[in-house]
Amino acid sequence: MNGEKTPFGGLANSFTSPKPKPLLWGRLRLGFIAAFFLWLIALCVGHLDILDIRLSILQSTYRKGDLLLESTQLGTVHLSPCPEQDDIPGSKCGYIVVPKDYHNPSAGVAQIAVGILPALSSRSKGSVFFNPGGPGGPAKRFITKRGDSLRAYVGDDYDIVGFDPRGIGETRPATKCFSNFFTYGDFKRNTVLERSYDFASNTTSEELRDAILLQQSESHALLEAAFEVCRVSMGEELKYMGTTTVVRDIDFMTKALDGPDALINFYGGSYGSILGQYLVNMLPDRIGRVAIDGIADAEAWAGKPPHQWYDQWLSEMENVYLQFYAGCSESGPAHCSLAEHQGDDPSKIRARVESFIDSLYYKPLPGPFAKHPRILTSGRARRAIAVELANPTAWPTLATHLASAIQGDPTDLLNFSEMNPFADLERSSVTCNDLPKFAPLSPEEVTDELLRVYRNVTQFVFSVVTLEADAGCQYWPVTPPERFTGPWNNTLRNPILILSSTADPVTPMDSALKVKARLGGSARLLLQDSPGHSTSAMPSLCTALHTQAFFTNGTFPPKDLVCKPDVFPFPQPNVAISRFSEEEGVILANIAAVHKVFVNARS
């Protein structure tokens, strides 16, 4: 797979492949130098209009979606040894040139960044594509640096392919609405989109609604502004970023790498489970080995505005939240700094934490020594908890950081929960292209629905709204060329494996049951009795070995099997760490590495 090849012959000739674009470094350099000197002048004279000129110059020098790489011939597979020191020996890096629009040859091409880890066995069974979730999570670099950890699930017989989906990571065109000099992170900083919603739980219903409505109105205005920036800087390029198009890319890349008759193999978690549901229902006759974990309901994703998802999607979050305090109580202060003694009443631990969070609404805590100095607000504190409810092995660390904040030092909690400051609108470019066009939503309508979920489902709904940034699509400026809306119950050429934790705070077991019911005999469900987002959140040899057997020879786990985890959120005093063999320890460590990339894809 070294070098370049163009496997599609006549098909390639039917698509327009524009000539490679010049890098324009001279133009960029002049723009950046001019912007820098104008910035210095602005500092001296304090004229904000000069700063506006600086931003205009940056926008004029910053191209739409970034530049294409060397070859733009449709079907080109360009691979070479990965160049970085920490890349796995033998891994290959490059890109595959695909149609930008599968229904309009004149639209040109896109380049999908790929990282490939060749099979360890002497004869590869083909490629298995990996998606870590998000949407917005790139996979190329994970595969070339830690892709061997996925062998805990897919075994040694496949080439593991990590790719950066449309608009994401190193794929071109990229979703780059904001410039490197003023990022989307800069735009959001210290707004509701970054702080999350600030409120106290001990206010009246009227006061709570007023506080939320004000922030919801701010959110609407911010997202309308951000999406207008995207329209100006990206234009029609935005419409090619949806999940439906990514499925077409996976099909194209499978044929390019493995041959025209090769079946599609795939493993994905979180949003990757949505991509997997699109894949198997759009191309039911092309399915080989497919496993999905941390199940979100693709039918709801493709059919409802995001604020209507949370009622069902967050149905397990309060259960997981209670498990956090129960584990803290059982472990005691040796491993949970929030507990005053072993066996401390979980409800009292919770009351102390929530009282502290409410106090932040009235008196935020300064964090001058955080990586990015700012204040700890009630919204930021709740979001920090919501993030880590999905990651139970981090609960002792979360408890330590919360305890430090309660004692007056929020530094670690602020650093622990910081969102990716370099992310652009990659996630929105997927979500909004997947959603139907719907009537504009008023802040009042959204506020009342979120308050209903807050009162009846989980107090963390407002945290998830900003953590899972899917809102604002009524302002999305483009319509994709293709949008899959079902059916979601197709009969598949080969049945798939569905994995789910029994207490997943953001993709509940109920979603896995819905997907299994739709697919019927075309799917087998494997449950794992544990909290956390996806089964990888609490590594289990049982789950890993059954999944590996499925990829290796198509063997499904016994019907109604429920696996147990082999790790615990808080250390257990009577459980010996040395009970695992060296090989088992490696498998568990690899599962933990897979979960880390799922976590990173959400931020």
Side-chain angles (χ1 to χ4, degrees), residues 357-560:
I357 293 175
D358 283 341
S359 74
L360 294 171
Y361 179 64
Y362 304 102
K363 188 178 180 181
L365 199 58
F369 304 112
K371 182 179 178 182
H372 292 100
R374 57 200 187 281
I375 58 175
L376 180 64
T377 63
S378 60
R380 285 182 173 132
R382 284 192 186 90
R383 192 185 62 214
I385 296 174
V387 168
E388 298 309 332
L389 289 180
N391 188 24
T393 56
W395 288 358
T397 304
L398 172 63
T400 299
H401 295 338
L402 281 168
S404 294
I406 291 171
Q407 294 300 314
D409 182 4
T411 302
D412 290 334
L413 190 63
L414 287 169
N415 291 339
F416 192 53
S417 61
E418 184 168 17
M419 301 175 75
N420 180 1
F422 304 108
D424 205 278
L425 284 159
E426 296 96 341
R427 181 176 180 122
S428 295
S429 70
V430 178
T431 306
C432 296
N433 278 324
D434 287 355
L435 284 173
K437 294 294 183 183
F438 47 83
L441 301 166
S442 69
E444 291 81 4
E445 180 182 356
V446 176
T447 293
D448 289 339
E449 171 61 15
L450 296 179
L451 282 171
R452 187 187 69 79
V453 177
Y454 170 79
R455 295 186 177 106
N456 298 305
V457 181
T458 177
Q459 64 181 290
F460 293 104
V461 60
F462 296 104
S463 305
V464 175
V465 168
T466 53
L467 174 64
E468 308 276 0
D470 298 309
C473 290
Q474 65 264 36
Y475 304 118
W476 193 242
V478 297
T479 299
E482 181 183 16
R483 192 178 72 81
F484 183 72
T485 59
W488 303 99
N489 60 350
N490 278 317
T491 300
L492 311 182
R493 177 167 180 166
N494 287 293
I496 70 170
L497 180 62
I498 301 171
L499 306 166
S500 177
S501 298
T502 55
D504 188 317
V506 289
T507 54
M509 179 178 65
D510 182 62
S511 292
L513 295 172
K514 288 177 183 291
V515 176
K516 172 65 178 77
R518 290 182 196 129
L519 292 175
S522 287
R524 175 65 59 86
L525 175 63
L526 175 60
L527 295 176
Q528 181 176 300
D529 185 19
S530 61
H533 180 38
S534 83
T535 62
S536 63
M538 296 283 286
S540 164
L541 293 170
C542 170
T543 301
L545 294 176
H546 279 294
T547 305
Q548 192 177 125
F550 165 72
F551 274 100
T552 300
N553 52 38
T555 301
F556 281 103
K559 189 177 181 181
D560 299 325

Side-chain angles (χ1 to χ4, degrees), residues 95-112:
Y95 59 87
I96 299 175
V97 181
V98 304
K100 185 182 289 184
D101 182 341
Y102 286 85
H103 303 281
N104 178 15
S106 67
V109 297
Q111 293 171 325
I112 309 301

Side-chain angles (χ1 to χ4, degrees), residues 177-217:
C177 300
F178 289 79
S179 78
N180 291 335
F181 281 76
F182 186 78
T183 67
Y184 187 44
D186 295 326
F187 175 84
K188 294 187 298 180
R189 191 169 299 282
N190 289 317
T191 72
V192 64
L193 300 182
E194 185 267 327
R195 290 165 52 132
S196 198
Y197 294 74
D198 289 318
F199 62 90
S201 64
N202 54 7
T203 58
T204 67
S205 296
E206 292 78 11
E207 290 171 332
L208 177 60
R209 186 179 188 275
D210 287 345
I212 296 299
L213 180 57
L214 180 63
Q215 294 171 89
Q216 189 62 44
S217 298

Side-chain angles (χ1 to χ4, degrees), residues 143-394:
I143 292 303
T144 63
K145 299 178 188 306
R146 288 303 312 271
D148 49 354
S149 60
L150 271 175
R151 300 217 180 274
Y153 290 119
V154 305
D156 296 340
D157 298 335
Y158 292 91
D159 302 325
I160 302 176
V161 181
F163 67 102
D164 296 349
R166 289 292 181 106
I168 294 164
E170 298 174 30
T171 283
R172 296 294 179 266
T175 300
K176 294 288 279 185
C177 300
F178 289 79
S179 78
N180 291 335
F181 281 76
F182 186 78
T183 67
Y184 187 44
D186 295 326
F187 175 84
K188 294 187 298 180
R189 191 169 299 282
N190 289 317
T191 72
V192 64
L193 300 182
E194 185 267 327
R195 290 165 52 132
S196 198
Y197 294 74
D198 289 318
F199 62 90
S201 64
N202 54 7
T203 58
T204 67
S205 296
E206 292 78 11
E207 290 171 332
L208 177 60
R209 186 179 188 275
D210 287 345
I212 296 299
L213 180 57
L214 180 63
Q215 294 171 89
Q216 189 62 44
S217 298
E218 177 188 344
S219 173
H220 278 229
L222 286 164
L223 291 169
E224 184 175 8
F227 289 0
E228 177 63 10
V229 170
C230 230
R231 183 191 68 79
V232 171
S233 59
M234 291 287 296
E236 288 296 297
E237 294 288 357
L238 288 171
K239 70 183 182 181
Y240 303 114
M241 310 302 187
T243 302
T244 303
T245 303
V246 175
V247 169
R248 301 292 182 204
D249 290 342
I250 293 174
D251 185 30
F252 190 98
M253 290 189 291
T254 297
K255 293 173 181 176
L257 293 172
D258 297 341
D261 298 323
L263 298 181
I264 300 171
N265 306 304
F266 176 83
Y267 172 76
S270 193
Y271 161 77
S273 76
I274 293 175
L275 176 56
Q277 291 166 69
Y278 273 71
L279 173 67
V280 301
N281 284 290
M282 286 177 62
L283 304 171
D285 296 328
R286 299 271 296 115
I287 301 307
R289 302 277 183 257
V290 171
I292 53 177
D293 197 350
I295 310 302
D297 182 1
E299 184 173 38
W301 172 273
K304 295 180 180 180
H307 73 289
Q308 295 180 7
W309 298 342
Y310 304 123
D311 191 350
Q312 186 260 328
W313 286 17
L314 304 182
S315 57
E316 286 294 330
M317 184 161 266
E318 289 299 310
N319 173 24
V320 178
Y321 184 51
L322 293 177
Q323 290 190 45
F324 168 68
Y325 290 114
C328 179
S329 169
E330 183 178 358
S331 187
H335 301 292
C336 181
S337 301
L338 294 170
E340 294 182 346
H341 55 83
Q342 192 165 8
D344 194 2
D345 186 338
S347 64
K348 292 182 178 179
I349 305 173
R350 174 179 176 174
R352 292 194 292 268
V353 172
E354 293 182 354
S355 176
F356 167 69
I357 293 175
D358 283 341
S359 74
L360 294 171
Y361 179 64
Y362 304 102
K363 188 178 180 181
L365 199 58
F369 304 112
K371 182 179 178 182
H372 292 100
R374 57 200 187 281
I375 58 175
L376 180 64
T377 63
S378 60
R380 285 182 173 132
R382 284 192 186 90
R383 192 185 62 214
I385 296 174
V387 168
E388 298 309 332
L389 289 180
N391 188 24
T393 56

